[in-house]
Amino acid sequence: MSGIDQAAMRPFILDVPQRELDDLAARLAATRWPDDPVGDWSQGVPAVYLKELAEYWRTTYDWRAQEALLNRFPQFTTTIDGANVHFLHVRSPRSDALPLLITHGWPGSVVEFLDVIEPLADPAAHGGDLADAFHLVIPSIPGYGLSGPTREGGWDVPRVAGAWAELMRRLGYRRYGAQGGDWGHAITRELAVIDAGRVAAIHLNTLLTLPPADPAEAAELTDEDRERLDQFMSAVPEMSGYAQIQGTRPQTLAYGLTDSPVGQLAWITEKFKEWTDCSGTPEEAISRDRLLTNVMLYWLTATAGSSARHYWEDAHATRPPRTEPRTTPTGVAVFAGDVARPVRRLAERTDNIVHWSEFDRGGHFAAMEEPDLFVDDVRAFFRPFRPGP
């Protein structure tokens, strides 16, 4: 590790003015509710559920407690490529720990990783081996939460990956690992290409594999492979409406979500219901308070629109997609409750897969839903890539 560019780093403490919390409570109390003749999840979040959740948010949820929880970890901001980038930087007690950059996706945030930070940074204090320790860098994607809103367009996956490479340079990390899910997986894979000389290995808990167009290649798939692909493809028409809207009209969407906390709550809660390993409500997979804290980072920062524009940038990308196989050693963790479970034989055609884990529980938000499984797999994967004695 070389020296940190201290001049570029600004310490950050989350301290939301009380007037913003009072405004939120007033807006929640004045919600104008639509009718809901269906009453179940088939057409979106049911009103009876959302009304109860919104009332809990207004009367019971304790933002100050969650704010204090976030402030337990050192946070900073820095300006990269014109954007304000917020990040957690948690150094391990082990001085030569492997640096690890972790990236969230949509509709996630740094809140996803609150339960895994301490076990990853200080495993000896959590029943593990200090040799598995990491120095953690956990940024908010530009346009999301505390890194937003962005003031200009163009923040596509390659640009974010470039910002991450610069962030790690400023922190003085010459060699590091990276981990990501959802958009974080795309950013992590791109980072491994553009900063190949410093990225030792990457770990993913999302990796999209699509049905092969070549009949000969399709014939090589097992029945289990086909079932996995069919499950994902059959879910796409029903579950991709949000992506179509965010990829085409993010600005129009932003007016409603930025003005109505219940609108923002519904937009995010639906995804936590559909993408977690639950059978009824998101609270079966993650705590209600943790869900609301994640929503709060979008609401308080008015980043519904700027985070949605990530989809527009991807849908209107002018750079040709990478077609050459990626060579960085890659580990993949597959959680049974994630609808987009990859097929290994297809993943191996595009990525250098050296580690593959299948878990019988957990979903899209792995670090939130099954932190112990997530931590164990990340530790196991990166062991061969740590510096020698």
Side-chain angles (χ1 to χ4, degrees), residues 372-383:
D372 292 344
L373 295 180
F374 180 90
V375 166
D376 288 346
D377 202 62
V378 168
R379 288 176 181 168
F381 169 68
F382 281 105
R383 281 182 192 132

Side-chain angles (χ1 to χ4, degrees), residues 15-31:
D15 185 15
V16 175
Q18 184 60 41
R19 65 179 179 276
E20 295 189 22
L21 303 181
D22 294 341
D23 175 71
L24 169 61
R27 288 170 182 265
L28 288 169
T31 300

Side-chain angles (χ1 to χ4, degrees), residues 109-377:
S109 68
V110 297
V111 170
E112 290 184 52
F113 309 111
L114 291 179
D115 290 335
V116 304
I117 291 174
E118 290 177 337
L120 289 174
D122 190 5
H126 296 269
D129 187 338
L130 189 58
D132 287 328
F134 297 93
H135 299 311
L136 298 175
V137 179
I138 307 176
S140 301
I141 298 172
Y144 290 67
L146 299 170
S147 283
T150 43
R151 303 303 178 187
E152 62 179 11
W155 279 100
D156 57 7
V157 165
R159 189 173 178 184
V160 177
W164 282 188
E166 172 62 14
L167 175 61
M168 296 304 276
R169 185 199 65 77
R170 291 185 187 181
L171 291 172
Y173 291 128
R174 295 174 177 169
R175 181 177 181 273
Y176 61 94
Q179 199 285 329
D182 195 88
W183 277 117
H185 106 279
I187 294 165
T188 298
R189 291 172 79 217
E190 182 68 14
L191 177 63
V193 175
I194 68 170
D195 206 16
R198 295 193 300 157
V199 176
I202 62 173
H203 180 278
L204 311 171
N205 59 279
T206 304
L207 184 58
L208 299 180
T209 54
L210 301 177
D214 182 355
E217 188 176 3
E220 296 177 2
L221 299 175
T222 67
D223 290 343
E224 182 181 351
D225 293 339
R226 293 189 186 92
E227 180 182 358
R228 187 170 289 194
L229 293 170
D230 288 346
Q231 180 188 32
F232 173 61
M233 296 306 294
S234 63
V236 167
E238 184 74 15
M239 296 175 64
S240 64
Y242 80 96
Q244 294 295 322
I245 293 172
Q246 296 192 158
T248 58
R249 297 296 184 269
Q251 187 62 36
T252 303
L253 173 68
Y255 297 113
L257 301 190
T258 305
D259 186 62
S260 168
V262 164
Q264 180 70 91
L265 178 64
W267 195 247
I268 289 178
T269 297
E270 180 186 87
K271 298 307 150 203
F272 275 84
K273 192 271 181 183
E274 291 183 337
W275 296 351
T276 57
D277 188 12
C278 73
S279 57
T281 63
E283 292 94 325
E284 295 176 16
I286 61 171
S287 73
R288 176 171 285 192
D289 283 354
R290 191 58 53 83
L291 169 64
L292 289 171
T293 301
N294 186 72
V295 172
M296 284 288 278
L297 289 190
Y298 285 82
W299 172 257
L300 292 169
T301 58
T303 51
S306 55
S307 60
R309 277 196 293 275
H310 203 148
Y311 286 78
W312 191 94
E313 298 291 352
D314 182 67
H316 296 79
T318 57
R319 308 185 200 196
R322 295 192 185 277
T323 56
E324 67 276 12
R326 291 167 170 83
T327 59
T328 305
T330 300
V332 178
V334 182
F335 291 82
D338 194 343
V339 68
R341 290 179 298 155
V343 171
R344 180 167 186 169
R345 69 180 62 235
L346 298 179
E348 288 175 338
R349 297 178 186 270
T350 57
D351 294 76
N352 179 18
I353 306 297
V354 299
H355 171 100
W356 189 278
S357 298
E358 299 264 355
F359 297 105
D360 63 359
R361 61 188 186 278
H364 194 68
F365 304 94
M368 245 181 180
E369 297 180 60
E370 297 293 341
D372 292 344
L373 295 180
F374 180 90
V375 166
D376 288 346
D377 202 62

Side-chain angles (χ1 to χ4, degrees), residues 94 96-97 131 175 383-389:
R94 182 179 174 121
D96 64 345
R175 181 177 181 273
R383 281 182 192 132
F385 306 104
R386 292 181 173 277

